Amino acid sequence: MTTVNPRILPPTPSATNPPLLIGELLETGVRMAGDNQIVYRDLSRHDYRRFRERVHQLAHLLSARGVGAGNVVAVLDWDSHRYLEAFFAVPMIGAILHTVNVRLSPEQIHYTMEHAEDTFVLVHQDFVPLLASMHERLPLVHGYLLCQDEAGKVDTPLPLVGEYEALLAGQPGHYDFPTFDENAVATLFYTTGTTGNPKGVFFTHRQLVLHTLGEASTFQAPGFELLDRNKVYMPITPMFHVHAWGVPYTATLLGATQVYPGRYEPEMLVKLLVSEKVDFSHCVPTLLGMVVGAEAITSGRVDLSGWKVLVGGSPLTESLARKAWELGIDTRSAYGMSETCPLLTAAILPCDIAEADFETQLPWRCKAGVAVPLVHLQVVDESGTPLPQDGESVGEVRVRAPWLTQAYYKETTRSEELWRDGWLHTGDVATLDERGFLEIRDRIKDVIKTGGEWVSSLELENLISQCPGVAEVAVIGVADEQWGERPAALVVPTDLNNPPSSEAIQAFLKRFVDEGHINRWALPSTIRCVDEIPKTSVGKLDKKRIRQEV
Amino acid sequence: MTTVNPRILPPTPSATNPPLLIGELLETGVRMAGDNQIVYRDLSRHDYRRFRERVHQLAHLLSARGVGAGNVVAVLDWDSHRYLEAFFAVPMIGAILHTVNVRLSPEQIHYTMEHAEDTFVLVHQDFVPLLASMHERLPLVHGYLLCQDEAGKVDTPLPLVGEYEALLAGQPGHYDFPTFDENAVATLFYTTGTTGNPKGVFFTHRQLVLHTLGEASTFQAPGFELLDRNKVYMPITPMFHVHAWGVPYTATLLGATQVYPGRYEPEMLVKLLVSEKVDFSHCVPTLLGMVVGAEAITSGRVDLSGWKVLVGGSPLTESLARKAWELGIDTRSAYGMSETCPLLTAAILPCDIAEADFETQLPWRCKAGVAVPLVHLQVVDESGTPLPQDGESVGEVRVRAPWLTQAYYKETTRSEELWRDGWLHTGDVATLDERGFLEIRDRIKDVIKTGGEWVSSLELENLISQCPGVAEVAVIGVADEQWGERPAALVVPTDLNNPPSSEAIQAFLKRFVDEGHINRWALPSTIRCVDEIPKTSVGKLDKKRIRQEV
């Protein structure tokens, strides 16, 4: 890298150059769409002007309870208008928002809250018993603020300071928010790996503002058109999971109507999708699979046509995308991870493909897509050399972008491992084609090596999922004396009483061998039907546990 | 302002956090739309991949000629693919791009080139004689690179180093661009005021990247939809004028097809609008007025319906917007100035107005609009107190945003005047309504004060322009013993042989007095027909010269 000395000119003494702070996003949304609504289940709705006022009130509430700049505020809530308010108010006073993953085990939750040094907690009624069981082991926490949907006293030994709505009501509607360094930490949350304790990742105001601008540009791209002030948005990726992919921030910037569904209950989700005319959601494939498989949808009683769903977390399979399409649901992929804020790539189709029919588009819709603005992405070999962009050469994905976590919180060794050689290592193996379209082939640790050849477990899963009678599938490598490893598949049948035979699935796959899509040695040695496949707390296949079960 | 100490966490030693550099915009465009075209007149066209390659080649060419980081490179060219390449290559090597306003007088041009300390110059054939006359008084310039559209030797004493295309052809297609501080200066140009020498304003890489992201978000907003990779863009605001409002950067980020028309010749402009199917342009009202008044357009021989035009520089009048609409041309306003990069506000219509008919939209289309993302805008009284957002209270517009020039180059006193009290003072007086919609009423120095009451010269111009027989109008205040000042109007008639009488115009205006739009005392005391109204080098009414002529 060349070093140069470009010219930096001093500002005139009175000039100001505002830092990139999260509050800017809210102000823009209010200007663009002050009348648009924030909806919470079938329980409440208010417009953007009131949303801003409530953010100011929450800031007063927190300040009055002794929360100041640099403090860590934990939230344990389902997706709600309250959570959205905390997304803004907590960082805007200079404090750090810790979005607690409520799907972790109680011990892991305790670990993350202690490790994050939480000092104040917003807790939904549902999690009061959980925190009551551990609050004595969280000595730094000096207050618990109750979030409940229905009035009524909660009987608990947890030292609650009051109820969110009741305390908010008494606060002034204007808070004089401070300005400060854009590199101040705004959010913190934990990601679980396959080994060891959860790891904390953190993002600054600058990173979140830039991520939001990059995401906004991506979501407004032709063919995507997911979000603007005329659209209705509802997340189905929890807000504790990488800030619901940062979309609440982007939706706020663009002034979209926002619907928060609370705890994910199938009936409520479907009810809101229909009654609020939701245009856009995002979720993991598993959840989309549940929706398109629900009786109400397949029977045609509920019509979801026109709904756009961005799928991430795990790759979207072609069979799921096709099933959705037949119901009028437009799916597209995006790719990222907790460490990357998360957005890295999005399947914005190449111009010629965008004009083609659905079947031509299908494989492109299921790929990870092109790097979004400001993201540098490479696929490299083991020595760190970029591989040819030929859609064939497989290597690890490494990235640079102005919104990547700069370390794991208080984890020196793992941080350096993540950032070795100055690039963030995703741990994913993929190909890049000549147009820069990324296709994820596998997690590095899930790659199956048989007879010296790499086999993509994702590709096999994609193919097996298209076999009639297969609802879900996971492919892993099992040790083999002769070949090193051999692929093995676990399959959940659509009808538990009438599972497809192993031979039927092999015969189905044979077609792809004959057509040259996969090699003969990629055919699984064993295929086993099971009732359920183990998943992680965010709905991904838990290959570590799957390996233990095979 | 409260001072707080939020948490700043150190990155792990190997982590990188890429600076916001202009090169990122180009990379994104190539990924999104590698096949889209850059068109120059009817002379050349190539795709984005070649565009990138040419930027790399230009960087090599400049480096080989001794241009390095911190040097200032001047460009004197009409709008061209070459200019676009310089927009990227010059800042990307760490040098500063000086976009010379070729419409200034030779002495002013010399002043700006000397003041900017230009060391290398890209010069179009048309300006070779001009520079030949002054190069001995520009001792810092060590090279002049000729830009010409047709082959052929240029006979000149100017020490040319060669021709752009000829020298580019020999350069390697890959340049290893350096990374550096995002606060490095990228561009520099001069703005003329009513008094004194031209003032230099400068913008950093960070500012231009953020401006581009903010502009992209604005231009993709519902109802605007000016730019994306499926759109064709052609500027009709010169590239030396505030980087053609920054739109070439935004168009590149979004991968739009870009058409550069060279010198603005009416026939060529119309030819390109039609043959290239241009979707979007931007220009000053004067230029739009020339287009919609051209015989080829009014006669219907040339159909421009579907063309979207963003109007700025001076306010769009309702009569011009209506005339355009009748030809199928969709106009909208934006507001900004040289010192502000320039975008501050855009007339993104409020949701309810966006759904109304054209006549309801008309006044909104002509207002300045709402502040774009990341812009803070206030209308304040003389003590700096924000006025009520009632659409009535008139005061000065002051702004903060992450893309405002931080000083006038080497002008200590004027810089502090611009930035007094920590806000950039626009010198415009305006109203803000409750939704944050800005309406410019006047330049502070053009406001007419009659009998203690303010009269808006812009409002009067808007009304008089609607009078039959009026082609152009300028209103100024003239000293009056009894009233302090009285409004006076200069009018250019549509038909010089049959000008409207002063009485006819007064009678026309009387209607607006009767309807309560303006006060009786706002009626001009004198109305005079003239052949031409003096304009500045960027096409705005030159009120300083008008005052001298009245």
Side-chain angles (χ1 to χ4, degrees), chain B residues 102-155:
Chain B
V102 296
R103 290 198 195 141
L104 296 180
S105 69
E107 276 319 295
Q108 283 180 314
I109 290 177
H110 176 262
Y111 172 85
T112 64
M113 294 183 70
E114 186 177 49
H115 189 266
E117 301 168 46
D118 296 339
T119 62
F120 193 82
V121 181
L122 274 63
V123 53
H124 185 278
Q125 193 166 2
D126 288 355
F127 307 111
V128 166
L130 176 80
L131 291 189
S133 73
M134 64 178 70
H135 83 95
E136 287 179 349
R137 293 188 293 140
L138 292 170
L140 293 180
V141 178
H142 59 73
Y144 294 89
L145 178 62
L146 175 67
C147 303
Q148 64 184 11
D149 294 347
E150 287 151 43
K153 202 175 150 10
V154 174
D155 188 23

Coordinates of all heavy atoms in Angstrom, one line a residue, chain B residues 102-155:
Chain B
V102 N -15.2 28.3 -16.3 CA -14.8 28.9 -17.5 C -15.6 30.1 -18.0 O -15.3 30.7 -19.0 CB -14.7 27.8 -18.7 CG1 -13.7 26.8 -18.3 CG2 -16.1 27.2 -18.9
R103 N -16.7 30.3 -17.3 CA -17.6 31.5 -17.6 C -17.1 32.8 -17.0 O -17.7 33.8 -17.2 CB -19.0 31.2 -17.3 CG -19.6 30.1 -18.2 CD -21.1 30.1 -18.1 NE -21.7 28.9 -18.6 CZ -22.8 28.3 -18.1 NH1 -23.3 28.8 -17.0 NH2 -23.2 27.3 -18.7
L104 N -16.1 32.7 -16.1 CA -15.6 33.9 -15.4 C -14.8 34.7 -16.5 O -14.5 34.2 -17.5 CB -14.7 33.5 -14.2 CG -15.4 32.8 -13.1 CD1 -14.4 32.6 -12.0 CD2 -16.6 33.6 -12.5
S105 N -14.5 35.9 -16.1 CA -13.7 36.7 -17.0 C -12.3 36.2 -17.0 O -11.9 35.5 -16.0 CB -13.7 38.2 -16.5 OG -13.0 38.2 -15.3
P106 N -11.5 36.4 -18.1 CA -10.1 35.9 -18.1 C -9.3 36.4 -16.8 O -8.6 35.5 -16.2 CB -9.5 36.6 -19.3 CG -10.7 36.8 -20.2 CD -11.8 37.1 -19.4
E107 N -9.5 37.6 -16.3 CA -8.8 38.0 -15.1 C -9.2 37.2 -13.9 O -8.4 36.9 -13.0 CB -8.9 39.5 -14.9 CG -8.0 40.3 -15.7 CD -6.6 39.7 -15.7 OE1 -5.9 39.6 -14.7 OE2 -6.1 39.3 -16.8
Q108 N -10.5 36.9 -13.8 CA -11.0 36.1 -12.7 C -10.5 34.7 -12.8 O -10.1 34.1 -11.8 CB -12.6 36.1 -12.7 CG -13.1 37.4 -12.1 CD -14.6 37.4 -12.1 OE1 -15.3 37.0 -13.0 NE2 -15.2 37.8 -10.9
I109 N -10.5 34.2 -14.0 CA -9.9 32.8 -14.2 C -8.5 32.8 -13.7 O -8.1 31.9 -13.0 CB -10.1 32.3 -15.6 CG1 -11.6 32.1 -15.9 CG2 -9.3 31.1 -15.9 CD1 -11.9 31.7 -17.3
H110 N -7.7 33.8 -14.1 CA -6.3 33.8 -13.7 C -6.2 33.9 -12.2 O -5.4 33.2 -11.6 CB -5.6 35.0 -14.4 CG -4.2 35.1 -13.9 ND1 -3.8 36.0 -12.9 CD2 -3.1 34.4 -14.2 CE1 -2.5 35.8 -12.6 NE2 -2.0 34.9 -13.4
Y111 N -7.1 34.8 -11.6 CA -7.0 34.9 -10.2 C -7.3 33.6 -9.5 O -6.6 33.2 -8.6 CB -8.1 36.0 -9.7 CG -8.3 36.0 -8.2 CD1 -7.4 36.8 -7.4 CD2 -9.2 35.2 -7.6 CE1 -7.5 36.8 -6.1 CE2 -9.3 35.2 -6.2 CZ -8.5 36.0 -5.4 OH -8.6 36.0 -4.1
T112 N -8.3 32.8 -9.9 CA -8.6 31.6 -9.2 C -7.5 30.5 -9.4 O -7.2 29.8 -8.5 CB -10.0 31.0 -9.7 OG1 -9.9 30.6 -11.1 CG2 -11.1 32.0 -9.5
M113 N -6.9 30.5 -10.6 CA -5.9 29.5 -10.8 C -4.6 29.8 -10.1 O -3.9 28.9 -9.6 CB -5.5 29.4 -12.3 CG -6.7 28.8 -13.1 SD -6.4 28.6 -14.9 CE -5.2 27.2 -14.8
E114 N -4.3 31.1 -9.9 CA -3.2 31.5 -9.1 C -3.4 31.3 -7.6 O -2.6 30.7 -6.9 CB -2.9 33.0 -9.4 CG -1.6 33.5 -8.8 CD -1.3 34.9 -9.1 OE1 -2.2 35.7 -9.0 OE2 -0.2 35.2 -9.5
H115 N -4.6 31.7 -7.2 CA -5.0 31.5 -5.8 C -5.0 30.1 -5.4 O -4.6 29.7 -4.3 CB -6.4 32.2 -5.6 CG -6.8 32.3 -4.1 ND1 -7.5 31.4 -3.5 CD2 -6.5 33.3 -3.2 CE1 -7.7 31.8 -2.2 NE2 -7.1 32.9 -2.0
A116 N -5.5 29.2 -6.3 CA -5.6 27.8 -6.0 C -4.3 27.1 -6.0 O -4.1 26.0 -5.5 CB -6.6 27.1 -6.9
E117 N -3.3 27.8 -6.5 CA -1.9 27.2 -6.7 C -1.9 25.9 -7.6 O -1.4 24.9 -7.2 CB -1.3 26.9 -5.3 CG -1.1 28.2 -4.5 CD -0.8 27.9 -3.0 OE1 0.1 27.1 -2.8 OE2 -1.4 28.5 -2.1
D118 N -2.7 26.0 -8.7 CA -2.7 24.9 -9.6 C -1.3 24.6 -10.1 O -0.5 25.5 -10.4 CB -3.6 25.3 -10.9 CG -5.0 25.6 -10.5 OD1 -5.5 25.1 -9.4 OD2 -5.7 26.3 -11.3
T119 N -1.0 23.3 -10.3 CA 0.3 22.9 -10.8 C 0.2 22.1 -12.1 O 1.2 21.9 -12.8 CB 1.0 22.0 -9.8 OG1 0.3 20.8 -9.5 CG2 1.2 22.8 -8.5
F120 N -1.0 21.6 -12.4 CA -1.2 20.8 -13.7 C -2.6 21.1 -14.2 O -3.5 21.3 -13.4 CB -1.0 19.3 -13.4 CG -0.9 18.5 -14.6 CD1 0.4 18.4 -15.3 CD2 -2.0 17.8 -15.1 CE1 0.5 17.6 -16.4 CE2 -1.8 17.0 -16.3 CZ -0.6 16.9 -16.9
V121 N -2.7 21.2 -15.5 CA -4.0 21.7 -16.0 C -4.5 20.8 -17.2 O -3.7 20.4 -18.1 CB -3.9 23.1 -16.6 CG1 -5.2 23.6 -17.1 CG2 -3.4 24.1 -15.5
L122 N -5.7 20.3 -17.1 CA -6.4 19.7 -18.2 C -7.2 20.8 -18.9 O -8.1 21.4 -18.3 CB -7.4 18.6 -17.7 CG -6.8 17.2 -17.5 CD1 -5.8 17.2 -16.3 CD2 -7.9 16.2 -17.1
V123 N -6.9 21.0 -20.2 CA -7.5 22.1 -20.9 C -8.1 21.7 -22.3 O -7.4 21.1 -23.1 CB -6.5 23.3 -21.1 CG1 -5.2 22.8 -21.8 CG2 -7.1 24.4 -21.9
H124 N -9.4 22.0 -22.4 CA -10.1 21.7 -23.7 C -9.5 22.7 -24.7 O -9.3 23.9 -24.4 CB -11.6 21.9 -23.5 CG -12.4 21.6 -24.7 ND1 -12.6 22.4 -25.7 CD2 -13.0 20.4 -25.0 CE1 -13.3 21.8 -26.7 NE2 -13.6 20.6 -26.3
Q125 N -9.4 22.2 -25.9 CA -9.0 23.0 -27.1 C -9.6 24.4 -27.1 O -8.9 25.4 -27.4 CB -9.5 22.2 -28.3 CG -9.0 22.6 -29.6 CD -9.3 21.6 -30.6 OE1 -10.0 20.6 -30.4 NE2 -8.9 21.8 -31.9
D126 N -10.9 24.5 -26.7 CA -11.5 25.9 -26.8 C -10.9 26.9 -25.8 O -11.0 28.1 -26.0 CB -13.0 25.7 -26.4 CG -13.9 25.0 -27.4 OD1 -13.3 24.8 -28.5 OD2 -15.0 24.8 -27.2
F127 N -10.2 26.4 -24.8 CA -9.6 27.3 -23.8 C -8.1 27.5 -23.9 O -7.5 28.1 -23.1 CB -10.0 26.9 -22.4 CG -11.5 26.7 -22.2 CD1 -12.0 25.4 -22.1 CD2 -12.4 27.8 -22.3 CE1 -13.4 25.2 -22.0 CE2 -13.7 27.6 -22.2 CZ -14.3 26.3 -22.1
V128 N -7.6 26.8 -24.9 CA -6.1 26.9 -25.2 C -5.7 28.4 -25.4 O -4.7 28.9 -24.8 CB -5.7 26.0 -26.3 CG1 -4.2 26.3 -26.7 CG2 -5.7 24.5 -25.8
P129 N -6.4 29.1 -26.2 CA -6.0 30.5 -26.4 C -6.0 31.3 -25.1 O -5.1 32.1 -24.8 CB -7.0 31.1 -27.5 CG -7.5 29.8 -28.2 CD -7.5 28.7 -27.1
L130 N -7.1 31.1 -24.4 CA -7.2 31.8 -23.1 C -6.0 31.5 -22.2 O -5.4 32.5 -21.7 CB -8.5 31.3 -22.4 CG -8.7 31.9 -21.0 CD1 -9.3 33.3 -21.1 CD2 -9.6 31.0 -20.2
L131 N -5.6 30.2 -22.0 CA -4.5 29.9 -21.1 C -3.2 30.4 -21.8 O -2.3 30.7 -21.0 CB -4.5 28.4 -20.8 CG -5.6 28.0 -19.9 CD1 -5.4 26.5 -19.5 CD2 -5.8 28.8 -18.7
A132 N -3.1 30.3 -23.1 CA -1.9 30.8 -23.7 C -1.6 32.3 -23.4 O -0.5 32.7 -23.2 CB -2.0 30.7 -25.3
S133 N -2.7 33.0 -23.2 CA -2.5 34.4 -22.8 C -2.1 34.7 -21.4 O -1.7 35.8 -21.1 CB -3.9 35.2 -23.1 OG -4.8 34.8 -22.1
M134 N -2.2 33.7 -20.6 CA -1.9 33.9 -19.2 C -0.9 33.0 -18.6 O -0.5 33.1 -17.4 CB -3.1 33.9 -18.3 CG -3.9 32.6 -18.3 SD -5.4 32.6 -17.2 CE -6.5 33.7 -18.2
H135 N -0.4 32.0 -19.4 CA 0.4 30.9 -18.7 C 1.7 31.4 -18.1 O 2.3 30.9 -17.2 CB 0.7 29.7 -19.7 CG 1.8 29.9 -20.6 ND1 3.0 29.4 -20.4 CD2 1.8 30.5 -21.9 CE1 3.8 29.7 -21.4 NE2 3.1 30.4 -22.3
E136 N 2.2 32.5 -18.7 CA 3.4 33.1 -18.1 C 3.2 33.7 -16.8 O 4.1 33.9 -16.0 CB 4.1 34.1 -19.1 CG 4.7 33.4 -20.3 CD 5.3 34.3 -21.3 OE1 5.0 35.5 -21.2 OE2 6.0 33.8 -22.2
R137 N 1.9 34.0 -16.5 CA 1.6 34.5 -15.1 C 1.1 33.4 -14.2 O 0.5 33.7 -13.2 CB 0.6 35.6 -15.3 CG 1.1 36.9 -16.0 CD 0.1 38.0 -15.9 NE -1.1 37.7 -16.7 CZ -2.4 38.0 -16.3 NH1 -2.6 38.6 -15.1 NH2 -3.4 37.7 -17.1
L138 N 1.3 32.1 -14.7 CA 0.9 31.0 -13.8 C 2.2 30.1 -13.6 O 2.3 29.0 -14.1 CB -0.2 30.2 -14.4 CG -1.6 30.9 -14.5 CD1 -2.5 30.1 -15.4 CD2 -2.1 31.0 -13.1
P139 N 3.2 30.6 -12.9 CA 4.5 30.0 -12.9 C 4.5 28.6 -12.2 O 5.4 27.8 -12.5 CB 5.4 30.9 -12.2 CG 4.5 31.8 -11.4 CD 3.2 31.9 -12.2
L140 N 3.5 28.3 -11.4 CA 3.4 27.1 -10.7 C 3.0 25.9 -11.6 O 3.2 24.7 -11.3 CB 2.5 27.1 -9.5 CG 2.9 28.0 -8.3 CD1 1.8 28.0 -7.2 CD2 4.2 27.6 -7.7
V141 N 2.3 26.2 -12.7 CA 1.8 25.2 -13.6 C 3.0 24.6 -14.3 O 3.7 25.3 -15.1 CB 0.8 25.7 -14.5 CG1 0.3 24.6 -15.5 CG2 -0.4 26.3 -13.8
H142 N 3.2 23.3 -14.2 CA 4.3 22.6 -14.9 C 3.8 21.8 -16.1 O 4.7 21.1 -16.7 CB 5.2 21.8 -14.0 CG 4.5 20.7 -13.2 ND1 4.0 19.6 -13.9 CD2 4.0 20.6 -11.9 CE1 3.4 18.8 -13.0 NE2 3.4 19.4 -11.8
G143 N 2.5 21.7 -16.3 CA 2.1 21.0 -17.5 C 0.7 21.3 -17.9 O -0.2 21.5 -17.0
Y144 N 0.4 21.3 -19.2 CA -1.0 21.5 -19.7 C -1.3 20.2 -20.6 O -0.5 20.0 -21.5 CB -1.0 22.7 -20.6 CG -0.9 24.0 -19.8 CD1 0.4 24.6 -19.6 CD2 -2.0 24.7 -19.2 CE1 0.6 25.7 -18.8 CE2 -1.8 25.9 -18.5 CZ -0.5 26.4 -18.3 OH -0.4 27.5 -17.6
L145 N -2.4 19.5 -20.2 CA -2.8 18.4 -21.0 C -3.9 18.7 -21.9 O -5.0 19.2 -21.4 CB -3.1 17.2 -20.0 CG -3.6 15.9 -20.6 CD1 -2.5 15.3 -21.5 CD2 -4.1 15.0 -19.5
L146 N -3.8 18.6 -23.2 CA -4.8 19.0 -24.1 C -6.0 18.0 -24.2 O -5.8 16.8 -24.3 CB -4.2 19.2 -25.5 CG -5.2 19.5 -26.7 CD1 -5.7 20.9 -26.5 CD2 -4.4 19.3 -28.0
C147 N -7.2 18.5 -24.1 CA -8.4 17.7 -24.3 C -9.0 18.1 -25.6 O -9.4 19.3 -25.7 CB -9.4 17.9 -23.2 SG -8.7 17.5 -21.5
Q148 N -9.1 17.2 -26.6 CA -9.7 17.7 -27.8 C -10.6 16.5 -28.4 O -10.4 15.3 -28.1 CB -8.8 18.2 -28.9 CG -7.8 17.1 -29.4 CD -6.8 17.7 -30.4 OE1 -6.7 19.0 -30.5 NE2 -6.0 16.9 -31.0
D149 N -11.7 16.9 -29.1 CA -12.6 15.9 -29.5 C -12.2 15.4 -30.9 O -12.6 14.3 -31.2 CB -14.0 16.6 -29.6 CG -14.6 17.0 -28.3 OD1 -14.0 16.5 -27.3 OD2 -15.6 17.7 -28.2
E150 N -11.5 16.2 -31.6 CA -11.1 15.7 -33.0 C -9.6 15.8 -33.1 O -9.0 16.7 -32.5 CB -11.7 16.6 -34.0 CG -13.2 16.4 -34.2 CD -13.9 17.7 -34.7 OE1 -13.3 18.3 -35.6 OE2 -15.0 18.0 -34.2
A151 N -9.0 14.8 -33.8 CA -7.6 14.8 -34.0 C -7.1 16.1 -34.7 O -7.9 16.7 -35.3 CB -7.1 13.6 -34.7
G152 N -5.8 16.4 -34.6 CA -5.3 17.6 -35.3 C -4.4 18.3 -34.4 O -4.6 18.4 -33.2
K153 N -3.4 19.0 -35.0 CA -2.5 19.7 -34.2 C -3.0 21.0 -33.8 O -3.7 21.7 -34.6 CB -1.2 19.8 -35.1 CG 0.1 20.1 -34.2 CD 1.3 20.2 -35.0 CE 2.4 21.1 -34.4 NZ 2.1 21.6 -33.1
V154 N -2.7 21.4 -32.6 CA -3.1 22.7 -32.1 C -1.9 23.6 -32.1 O -0.9 23.3 -31.5 CB -3.7 22.6 -30.7 CG1 -4.0 24.0 -30.1 CG2 -5.0 21.8 -30.7
D155 N -2.1 24.7 -32.8 CA -0.9 25.6 -32.9 C -1.0 26.7 -31.8 O -1.9 27.6 -31.9 CB -1.0 26.3 -34.3 CG 0.3 27.1 -34.6 OD1 1.3 26.8 -33.9 OD2 0.2 28.0 -35.4

